[in-house]
Amino acid sequence: MLMAFWHLFAGFFKIGMFTVGGGYAMLPLMQQEIAKYGWITPAEFIDMIAIAEMTPGAIAVNTATFAGFRTAGVLGAILATASLALPSLLIIVPLSNFWEVHRDHPILKAIFSGVKPAVAGLIGAAAIYIAETAFLYDPLLAKKDGFPVDLRSLLIAGAVFVAVRRLKFDPIKAIIISAVVGLVVFGF
Amino acid sequence: MQPKKRKKQATATLRELFVAWFKIGLFTFGGGYAMLPLIEREVIDKKGWTDKEEILSIYALAQSVPGVIAVNTSIILGNRLAGVRGAVVAAAGVMAPSLLVIMAIASYFDYIMKSVYVLQAFSGIRAAVVGLVAAAAVRIALASLKDKPAYAIALTAFVLSAFTEIHAIVIILGGALAGFLVYYFGAKGRAED
């Protein structure tokens, strides 16, 4: 049992330490570690990705929780997620302290003046990727023939956009209402 | 080394930090950028812990170091507001919903995956996330695009990210280099003329 805990710690610490960019960038290394230690079966890993996408939270954190829970129960789940986040804590705390102190230095200011629009561009691309995934590859709606994008999905997305952007609607309420609306309108 | 106090340093109790990040973790579906609209609402609009422009620097930092983007973002803001303890509490807050939800459903996986009602509700949530992220993208573009070089950098980053396989960190580093050349080297060159 102690060995199982050690493997969970070592495996997820390594995953947290050696992947930059989060999310899907972590999956290949996670797959390797899972194969090495046999926390879950490859089939469960595929199912897990689907579940992780559907449940709240970051995908890598969800996968860590699942693998830890299957291997060693609640303690295993906590250990796996904590191990995943530990490298971030060790690296970021000193780095962001440095940034807070020196952020007004002309060179750092200039660098971040270039980084900010680059991130804005990345967010724009991510918005398109998210739209593509939701509209074209929805597991429930993708099989339908005819018009490739489901009109009901488009209407929900448009309504949420207007509500949040123009009416300052709370995103959490928008998500809850959309779940209920989805339950009703996609039932037909 | 403690972060230098800024002119309007926001403060937060550990409890406030935990609750705010717990909410963000609980209502983020899909991770990464899908978290943005909730961060804007909880951390910027409600709490005023950062602003729309600075969040981009924080995001860039979170994406350029190892780890999960959502967790990294919570650590940066938690550390600023309440030191290392704040970082730990914020990270625990953003991960706690995953622990609770995944453990709760781990035993019912197959049943849940086959439930048509669950799929219907999630089709609704997925569509909502598209609207939320689009609204956040528009807001952020308006806040960060201030001059022509910024437009050029944003457009280049967008095209590279949308149409090539280039990793986000390479694009961020490219933005950093462009920023250095345009806003530091360029400004210096103009001053010396």
Side-chain angles (χ1 to χ4, degrees):
Chain A
M1 199 61 192
L2 226 78
M3 213 51 199
F5 282 128
W6 165 250
H7 287 161
L8 279 173
F9 169 77
F12 281 100
F13 187 87
K14 190 170 158 192
I15 293 166
M17 185 76 210
F18 291 106
T19 46
V20 177
Y24 295 97
M26 296 188 137
L27 293 181
L29 185 58
M30 210 171 251
Q31 193 169 17
Q32 280 177 22
E33 294 298 301
I34 283 171
K36 191 161 112 196
Y37 294 117
W39 293 317
I40 52 179
T41 69
E44 277 180 321
F45 182 63
I46 306 288
D47 281 353
M48 184 55 230
I49 296 168
I51 292 277
E53 281 173 337
M54 285 174 60
T55 46
I59 290 168
V61 178
N62 291 352
T63 313
T65 304
F66 183 66
F69 186 68
R70 277 285 161 99
T71 311
V74 177
L75 267 180
I78 293 170
L79 179 68
T81 39
S83 308
L84 182 72
L86 189 59
S88 296
L89 265 169
L90 297 178
I91 293 166
I92 292 174
V93 169
L95 196 69
S96 74
N97 285 348
F98 177 84
W99 179 59
E100 299 277 355
V101 171
H102 297 288
R103 51 189 294 162
D104 290 329
H105 190 282
I107 292 181
L108 264 189
K109 269 177 101 164
I111 285 174
F112 275 95
S113 298
V115 165
K116 280 183 224 170
V119 175
L122 289 178
I123 293 169
I128 291 189
Y129 174 76
I130 289 169
E132 192 188 4
T133 314
F135 290 150
L136 300 182
Y137 305 110
D138 189 289
L140 190 69
L141 310 170
K143 296 162 227 148
K144 302 245 168 81
D145 299 328
F147 191 57
V149 178
D150 192 284
L151 202 60
R152 294 167 293 187
S153 293
L154 269 182
L155 282 176
I156 293 173
V160 169
F161 179 83
V162 172
V164 170
R165 177 112 190 88
R166 297 261 169 243
L167 312 173
K168 303 276 167 218
F169 203 74
D170 188 344
I172 292 177
K173 285 181 197 146
I175 287 173
I176 296 170
I177 294 172
S178 302
V180 177
V181 170
L183 198 53
V184 176
V185 301
F186 295 118
F188 297 109
Chain B
M1 185 169 65
Q2 276 299 311
K4 190 171 69 184
K5 290 270 179 280
R6 307 189 59 220
K7 18 186 184 341
K8 272 201 288 177
Q9 180 81 36
T11 52
T13 62
L14 294 179
R15 188 197 154 96
E16 267 186 305
L17 268 174
F18 186 85
V19 171
W21 285 101
F22 188 90
K23 272 162 102 173
I24 294 168
L26 187 59
F27 286 97
T28 294
F29 293 86
Y33 291 112
M35 187 182 60
L36 252 178
L38 290 143
I39 287 193
E40 285 206 342
R41 182 74 173 192
E42 292 298 321
V43 173
I44 300 177
D45 295 347
K46 282 192 185 165
K47 305 285 189 190
W49 288 337
T50 178
D51 57 51
K52 285 192 177 82
E53 215 198 312
E54 197 192 47
I55 191 72
L56 292 179
S57 304
I58 292 173
Y59 250 134
L61 214 55
Q63 277 187 77
S64 308
V65 294
V68 186
I69 297 173
V71 176
N72 292 354
T73 310
S74 73
I75 289 175
I76 296 169
L77 277 167
N79 176 56
R80 167 193 295 183
L81 294 163
V84 178
R85 283 203 319 191
V88 173
V89 166
V94 80
M95 295 192 303
S98 297
L99 273 167
L100 298 176
V101 173
I102 296 289
M103 287 192 293
I105 66 174
S107 323
Y108 304 99
F109 258 16
D110 297 340
Y111 175 76
I112 289 167
M113 286 303 283
K114 280 178 192 134
S115 162
V116 70
Y117 300 114
V118 172
L119 291 178
Q120 285 166 6
F122 272 98
S123 295
I125 289 177
R126 251 181 239 113
V129 169
V130 173
L132 288 177
V133 173
V138 171
R139 261 201 306 273
I140 278 164
L142 291 176
S144 67
L145 303 182
K146 289 182 168 156
D147 50 19
K148 278 184 190 156
Y151 273 98
I153 293 169
L155 190 67
T156 311
F158 174 81
V159 170
L160 289 178
S161 175
F163 302 110
T164 71
E165 298 291 310
I166 296 175
H167 198 285
I169 192 170
V170 177
I171 296 173
I172 290 172
L173 289 176
L177 182 65
F180 176 71
L181 292 176
V182 172
Y183 297 103
Y184 185 76
F185 222 58
K188 225 171 146 187
R190 276 195 298 279
E192 281 165 7
D193 279 345

